Structure formats: structure tokens, C-alpha cells
């Protein structure tokens, strides 16, 4: 019976923070078996983690919870200090529930036990989608802010009054926006009219 090769998926760049090379290879194997063309780098201390985080664009970070002289919470804090928005998943042998909860509150996206690696690839895929959605929301929000700033700059240079009204019904109106030119025309500030 012929073995079916998994469908090749897009390349994946994973930073693995792990003091055991065998465990790092075990994690990498999960992605290769799922059909990913995987590139990964293993690091195990603060210095090499910082250098690696800055060296390239990673799709996700996997971290053991506790290593000699370094741990997942320190790696997570380093990622946040560098303002990287990446899926950060803790993969550890044994960790108490309270510690896992504290890690999630600190910003880790998931916690997996090394004896449940069947959840690893789906967790990374889910968190990569969430990271992409966050980036798209940030871009959309930045676009809205830029457009609003351009609108306000344009309107503030128009002589006279520019306004936007809301009609809640029954012949009543409420100002939603009033330009600065209002004060010169009516002696009332935009804030007074909007209020």
C-alpha cells in the first residue's frame, strides 16, 4: 500500500525556544508531517532569543516553559518589548495550571503539553489567522485615523461652516460635527453646538 504524502503547504518560519535539541526536532517534525516546508531556529537563552527575534520575520514562536537561566515568561516579555505581534505558544512537559493561566494573562496565546502534540499544528494555524486578523484591523484603523485627520485638516481650512447633522426623528436634529468656522460666524464654538 502506497503512502499518501501530505499536501505541501506554504513555507513556515518558526522560532523554537528550547534547551533540548531532541525536543525542538520533535516539534519541527509535527509541522513537516502536516505538510509544511518548515524553517526553524532553536535558541535557549535571552541573548540568542533577542538576536533571533530581530533577525527575520517569524510566523510563530514556540517556547518551553522552563530552561536553565531562562523561561517562557521572560521570552514573552522580550517579544512584547520588541513590539512583535506573533503567535506565542508554550509547549512544555509539566506545568501547573496556575502557571499556565499566568502565562496566558501575560500574553501567551496557548499552552500545550508535550504529550499532546497533536494540538500543536492546529493551535499555530489558528493563532496565525488571529495574528493576521489583528494586523488587518490595525491597518484599517490606521487608515480611518489618517482619513479623519485629512478630513479635519481640509474642513478647518474652509471658510464658513461645515457640519453634519443627525435626525433622530420627529423634526429634531443634532449636530454630530461642526467645523471651527462656526465661531467666526455665530460666536459659538463647535463644542457648544455639538453638546
Amino acid at each position: 500500500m502506497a503512502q499518501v504524502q501530505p499536501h505541501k503547504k506554504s513555507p513556515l518560519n518558526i522560532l523554537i525556544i528550547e534547551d533540548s535539541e531532541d525536543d525542538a526536532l520533535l516539534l519541527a517534525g509535527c509541522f513537516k508531517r502536516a505538510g509544511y516546508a518548515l524553517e526553524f531556529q532553536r535558541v535557549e537563552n535571552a541573548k540568542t532569543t533577542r538576536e533571533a527575534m530581530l533577525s527575520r520575520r517569524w510566523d510563530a514562536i514556540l517556547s518551553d516553559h522552563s530552561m536553565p537561566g531562562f523561561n517562557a515568561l521572560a521570552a514573552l516579555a522580550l517579544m512584547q518589548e520588541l513590539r512583535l505581534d506573533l503567535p506565542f505558544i508554550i509547549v512544555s512537559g509539566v506545568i501547573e495550571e496556575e502557571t499556565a493561566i499566568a502565562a496566558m494573562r501575560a500574553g501567551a496565546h496557548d499552552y500545550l503539553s508535550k504529550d499532546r502534540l497533536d494540538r500543536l499544528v492546529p493551535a499555530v494555524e489558528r493563532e496565525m489567522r488571529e495574528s493576521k486578523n489583528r494586523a488587518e484591523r490595525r491597518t484599517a484603523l490606521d487608515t480611518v485615523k489618517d482619513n479623519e485627520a485629512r478630513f479635519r485638516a481640509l474642513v478647518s481650512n474652509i471658510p464658513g461652516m461645515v457640519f453634519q447633522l443627525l435626525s433622530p426623528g420627529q423634526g429634531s436634529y443634532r449636530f454630530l460635527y461642526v467645523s471651527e468656522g462656526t465661531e467666526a460666524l455665530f460666536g459659538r464654538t463647535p463644542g457648544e453646538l455639538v453638546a
Side-chain angles (χ1 to χ4, degrees), residues 36-107:
Y36 282 98
L38 180 72
E39 289 190 31
F40 74 97
Q41 180 179 345
R42 183 181 70 87
V43 294
E44 58 183 278
N45 59 50
K47 182 180 184 293
T48 57
T49 298
R50 174 183 284 276
E51 290 168 356
M53 284 179 177
L54 294 171
S55 71
R56 66 190 297 181
R57 170 74 176 110
W58 299 101
D59 294 308
I61 297 175
L62 307 178
S63 179
D64 190 3
H65 177 262
S66 184
M67 296 156 280
F70 195 51
N71 64 35
L73 292 179
L76 180 59
L78 182 58
M79 182 185 85
Q80 292 167 341
E81 173 191 321
L82 297 173
R83 298 186 184 276
L84 300 175
D85 183 10
L86 300 170
F88 189 97
I89 298 176
I90 298 173
V91 184
S92 193
V94 177
I95 187 171
E96 294 179 8
E97 185 177 344
E98 295 81 22
T99 307
I101 291 170
M104 300 292 279
R105 285 186 179 145

Side-chain angles (χ1 to χ4, degrees), residues 100-148:
I101 291 170
M104 300 292 279
R105 285 186 179 145
H109 295 100
D110 206 342
Y111 161 77
L112 303 173
S113 175
K114 285 183 180 176
D115 63 357
R116 292 293 317 269
L117 291 182
D118 57 314
R119 291 185 50 226
L120 180 60
V121 173
V124 169
E125 290 171 338
R126 179 193 69 234
E127 292 306 325
M128 285 173 49
R129 284 190 304 274
E130 286 299 314
S131 179
K132 181 181 177 191
N133 290 340
R134 285 191 302 273
E136 288 171 354
R137 283 192 297 272
R138 276 193 307 274
T139 300
L141 185 58
D142 289 346
T143 300
V144 167
K145 287 179 181 178
D146 289 345
N147 289 341
E148 184 175 316

